[in-house]
């Protein structure tokens, strides 16, 4: 077939390579399939450990699973790969990726059940490198298909909600209880809930404080250009201080404050703990909020502001009815940056006793218990990802309404 | 009536507007024309106090504009600018309703006024009331901008290069519309432009500004025949001033009743247009026709040329 066939059928930016003989291959899908096959053949699917600390014993896909199930799951994954390689439509590709994910999840759950001796609580079955490679490949395939479908902001939030619901239900079903991460969770369930809550509080609380301070500060910078460079410069410098160093810098003044003001100490403001973490996150959050507020206000059509003033709006009315609504998409983009950044950075707060999911990460590192690290790290990734999807959808919604 | 008394605006010691005084009559169109940097926009913006004067004062109907807070003053004065300045996040109807809402008109009164204005500006309310500005053509956006400026029935309308961003054909239509609107609502209009043709077409009186000073302020014909200053003569155009002068008089005003020969021209056509038609047809006179098609008389080349001379 002529070499133009690919570009004629493919969406812009979606390469479909034309191969002599009329077979069209999807480049991304081919790459992902090759990686997945190589991982499945060469890398362990699960790691068998006699207890949580000792180095494990790798098991391949067909070693780990009972024969019939291994065949069924392999068949499903092969089907997914076939769809990925072909130039199938995005809808089909998404369905195939989801089926592949389902097969992968069932396979790892089954491996856990099959390899654990009945009643044994010491043995750990950890997902191996092949599992993670497959998960990433299937995840990429699914997100690529979703991107090609160009779902509306509402749809994307709905997808996210469904995805999270399915994950929570699957984990609650007990199907995965034999896996090492779930073992760690079972031991730490109560603490997990507490640290998750603390993680979200720290991320959202510092964001809220940064919005309350940063928005007026951004408006001030916009109105008084002389102070803008000074304020943004200062915030820029703060941004360059490493998190750990900033915690250290804050320890002394907050400790002194706690010593001098008993009320502060009773409120939990101390040199270590959640207070310096929240203050540091707040300081890091200011730059994106202030900078985006300034950029958003600058973007507002000068003619619209001029007309608003010329028609008799007061300064407050111009700000609330014209400038802020028109700047909102850019401001919310700043909030998105801050929220995703905070969710990641709260992790480090665990180092100074601030709590959060980072507690598990650092405890796991200390004990060389990788499953405990993952128990902290995976929810952090899911939180950050969810926040990004939610706020991206919000930005797009606002942008559509405020062209 | 707007009385501008010795109005001056200085920025850091430089006078942008320098001691301008002028009297703007009610129900007229006054055009202020000048090169960029002449201070014409600043002068306009001092009328609604978007710029506060360094000295001097403005009286509207003999009341000092500083007698009330600036934002209340501005709600009584229409304001239309180049590039229309429509609010992109609000519908056409919401844009037009801006000042009536600020004045807390009732919802029914606002709706009725928006509907009326859309019709006056030839925008079907069913199609355009709910549309967003970016969905309109440039000419439509400009019309909505003027409709919005007129929404609260202001006695005075200030326009800052309102047609500057339009292409020539749409601009001609917009200028024609403005004359009709002024006729209909009797608004006192002060318009700023750098386009001398526009000034002569629209202005009952034209003020020429340069370097902050009002050089001359008079009827267009006087600017042409008795320029107060070499700059005014240059601005009004030395090479085609006779044709400009002809464009200020209509065929209907000059036609002599009686039998006529030659091409037919409407009574509303300018002498310039009538002459062009006569030259084009190789005639030496034209028949002037009223709008209803009845003959109004004869227009000879000689009578046209007599109007193209000073004095």
């Amino acid at each position: 077939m002529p070499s133009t066939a690919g570009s004629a059928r493919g969406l812009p930016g979606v390469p479909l390579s034309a191969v002599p003989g009329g077979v069209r291959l999807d480049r991304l899908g081919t790459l992902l399939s090759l990686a997945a096959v190589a991982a499945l053949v060469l890398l362990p699917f699960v790691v068998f450990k006699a207890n949580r600390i000792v180095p494990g014993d790798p098991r391949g896909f067909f070693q780990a699973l009972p024969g019939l199930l291994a065949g069924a799951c392999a068949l499903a994954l092969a089907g997914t790969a076939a769809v990925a390689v072909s130039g199938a439509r995005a809808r089909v590709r998404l369905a195939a990726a989801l089926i592949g994910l389902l097969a992968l999840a069932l396979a790892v759950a089954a491996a856990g059940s099959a390899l654990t001796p009945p009643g044994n609580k010491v043995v750990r079955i950890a997902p191996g490198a092949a599992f993670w490679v497959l998960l990433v490949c299937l995840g990429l395939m699914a997100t690529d298909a979703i991107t090609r479908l160009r779902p509306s902001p509402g749809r994307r939030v709905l997808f996210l909600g469904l995805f999270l619901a399915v994950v929570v239900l699957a984990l609650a079903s007990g199907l995965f209880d034999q896996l090492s991460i779930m073992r760690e969770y079972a031991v730490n369930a109560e603490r997990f809930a507490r640290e998750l809550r603390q993680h979200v509080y720290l991320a959202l609380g510092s964001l809220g404080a940064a919005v309350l301070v940063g928005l007026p500060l951004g408006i001030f910078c916009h109105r008084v250009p002389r102070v803008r460079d000074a304020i943004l410069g200062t915030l820029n410098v703060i941004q360059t201080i490493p998190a750990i160093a900033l915690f250290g810098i804050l320890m002394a003044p907050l400790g002194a404050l706690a010593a001098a003001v008993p009320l502060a100490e009773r409120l939990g403001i101390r040199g270590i703990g959640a207070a310096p973490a929240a203050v540091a996150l707040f300081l890091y959050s200011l730059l994106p909020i202030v900078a985006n507020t300034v950029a958003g206000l600058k973007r507002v059509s000068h003619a619209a502001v001029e007309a608003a003033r010329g028609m008799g709006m007061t300064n407050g009315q111009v700000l609330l009815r014209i400038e802020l609504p028109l700047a909102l998409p850019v401001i919310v983009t700043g909030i998105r940056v801050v929220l995703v950044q905070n969710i990641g950075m709260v992790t480090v707060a665990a180092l100074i006793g601030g709590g959060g999911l980072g507690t598990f990460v650092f405890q796991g590192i200390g004990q060389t218990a990788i499953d405990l690290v993952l128990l902290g790290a995976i929810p952090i990734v899911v939180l950050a990802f969810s926040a990004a999807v939610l706020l991206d959808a919000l930005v797009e919604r606002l942008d559509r309404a405020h062209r | 009536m707007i009385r501008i008394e010795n109005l001056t605006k200085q920025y850091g010691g430089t006078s942008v507007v320098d001691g301008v005084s002028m009297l703007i009559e009610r129900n007229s169109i006054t055009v202020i024309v000048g090169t960029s940097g002449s201070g014409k926009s600043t002068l306009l913006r001092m009328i609604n106090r978007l710029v506060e004067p360094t000295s001097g004062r403005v009286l509207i109907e003999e009341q000092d504009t500083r007698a009330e807070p600036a934002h209340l003053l501005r709600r009584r004065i229409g304001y239309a600018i180049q590039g229309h300045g429509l609010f992109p996040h609000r519908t056409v109807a919401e844009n037009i309703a801006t000042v009536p809402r600020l004045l807390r008109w009732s919802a029914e009164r606002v709706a009725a006024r928006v509907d009326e204005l859309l019709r006056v500006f030839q925008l079907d309310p069913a199609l355009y009331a709910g549309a967003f500005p970016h969905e309109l053509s440039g000419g439509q956006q400009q019309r909505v901008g003027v409709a919005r400026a007129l929404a609260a029935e202001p006695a005075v309308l200030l326009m800052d290069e309102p047609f500057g961003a339009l292409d020539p054909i749409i601009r001609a239509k917009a200028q024609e519309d403005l004359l009709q609107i002024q006729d209909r609502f009797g608004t006192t209009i002060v318009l700023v432009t750098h386009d001398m043709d526009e000034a002569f077409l629209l202005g009952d009186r034209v003020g020429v500004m340069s370097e902050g000073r009002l050089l001359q302020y008079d009827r267009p014909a006087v600017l042409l025949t008795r320029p107060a200053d070499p700059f005014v003569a240059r601005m009004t155009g030395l090479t085609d001033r006779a044709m400009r002068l002809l464009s200020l008089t209509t065929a209907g005003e000059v036609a002599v009743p009686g039998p006529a020969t030659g091409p037919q021209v409407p009574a509303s056509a300018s002498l310039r247009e009538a002459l062009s038609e006569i030259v084009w047809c190789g005639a030496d006179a034209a028949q002037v026709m009223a709008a209803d098609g009845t003959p109004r008389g004869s227009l000879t080349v000689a009578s046209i040329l007599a109007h193209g001379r000073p004095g």
Side-chain angles (χ1 to χ4, degrees), chain A residues 75-125:
Chain A
L75 207 63
L77 288 171
T80 301
V83 173
V85 169
S86 77
R89 282 182 308 149
R91 220 172 266 274
V92 179
R93 303 168 70 80
L94 179 60
L98 293 178
I99 289 171
L101 280 169
L102 187 68
L104 182 67
L106 287 176
V108 79
S113 306
L115 293 175
T116 308
N120 188 328
K121 295 268 181 195
V122 183
V123 160
R124 296 293 166 109
I125 312 297

Side-chain angles (χ1 to χ4, degrees), chain A residues 304 306 309 312 317 321 403, chain B residues 45 74-75 79 87-89:
Chain A
E306 164 84 7
R309 282 179 15 91
Q317 285 168 334
R321 300 186 188 185
R403 252 170 301 206
Chain B
R45 289 151 59 88
R74 290 184 203 131
R75 289 175 194 176
Y79 187 54
F87 305 142
H89 60 308

Side-chain angles (χ1 to χ4, degrees), chain A residues 146-192:
Chain A
I146 289 174
T147 311
R148 289 195 205 180
L149 282 172
R150 289 177 214 206
S152 65
R155 281 267 167 84
R156 291 206 301 267
V157 173
L158 191 71
F159 274 145
L160 176 70
L162 280 175
F163 168 74
L164 292 178
V166 168
V167 167
V168 168
L169 283 177
L171 292 179
S173 71
L175 209 56
F176 300 90
D177 282 359
Q178 304 302 327
L179 291 177
S180 54
I181 301 173
M182 291 308 287
R183 281 279 172 85
E184 292 290 353
Y185 172 74
V187 177
N188 293 299
E190 207 171 295
R191 261 182 68 214
F192 181 83

Side-chain angles (χ1 to χ4, degrees), chain A residues 227-371:
Chain A
V227 304
R228 187 178 58 212
D229 291 347
I231 290 179
L232 287 179
T234 309
L235 295 176
N236 247 320
V237 169
I238 293 175
Q239 203 79 3
T240 60
I241 305 173
I244 305 268
L246 191 54
F247 291 147
I249 293 170
L250 287 169
M251 267 183 202
L254 286 175
L257 182 70
V261 187
L263 178 69
E265 171 142 40
R266 248 178 292 140
L267 287 173
I269 297 174
R270 264 165 288 143
I272 57 165
V279 173
L281 289 170
F282 162 78
L283 289 175
Y284 283 129
S285 306
L286 276 179
L287 178 68
I289 304 259
V290 175
N292 277 50
T293 303
V294 171
L297 289 173
K298 205 187 258 176
R299 181 183 92 142
V300 174
S301 141
H302 185 74
V305 174
E306 164 84 7
R309 282 179 15 91
M311 285 189 297
M313 286 195 189
T314 60
N315 284 339
Q317 285 168 334
V318 174
L319 183 67
L320 288 178
R321 300 186 188 185
I322 308 298
E323 292 186 295
L324 281 182
L326 288 172
L328 203 57
V330 182
I331 296 174
V332 175
T333 306
I335 291 176
R336 173 215 189 274
V337 169
V338 166
L339 186 54
V340 174
Q341 168 188 296
N342 277 5
I343 289 172
M345 206 130 51
V346 172
T347 314
V348 189
L351 278 182
I352 53 160
L357 292 166
T359 316
F360 297 116
V361 175
F362 290 110
Q363 200 184 338
I365 292 173
Q367 301 176 353
T368 60
I370 193 71
D371 300 320

Side-chain angles (χ1 to χ4, degrees), chain A residues 24-27 29-31 33-34 80-88 93 141:
Chain A
R24 284 190 208 86
L25 294 182
D26 182 89
R27 276 185 215 154
T30 310
L31 190 71
S33 300
L34 286 175
T80 301
V83 173
V85 169
S86 77
R93 303 168 70 80
M141 184 179 166

Side-chain angles (χ1 to χ4, degrees), chain B residues 2 75 92 97 134 229 246:
Chain B
I2 304 171
R75 289 175 194 176
V92 167
H134 73 269
D229 186 278
L246 290 181

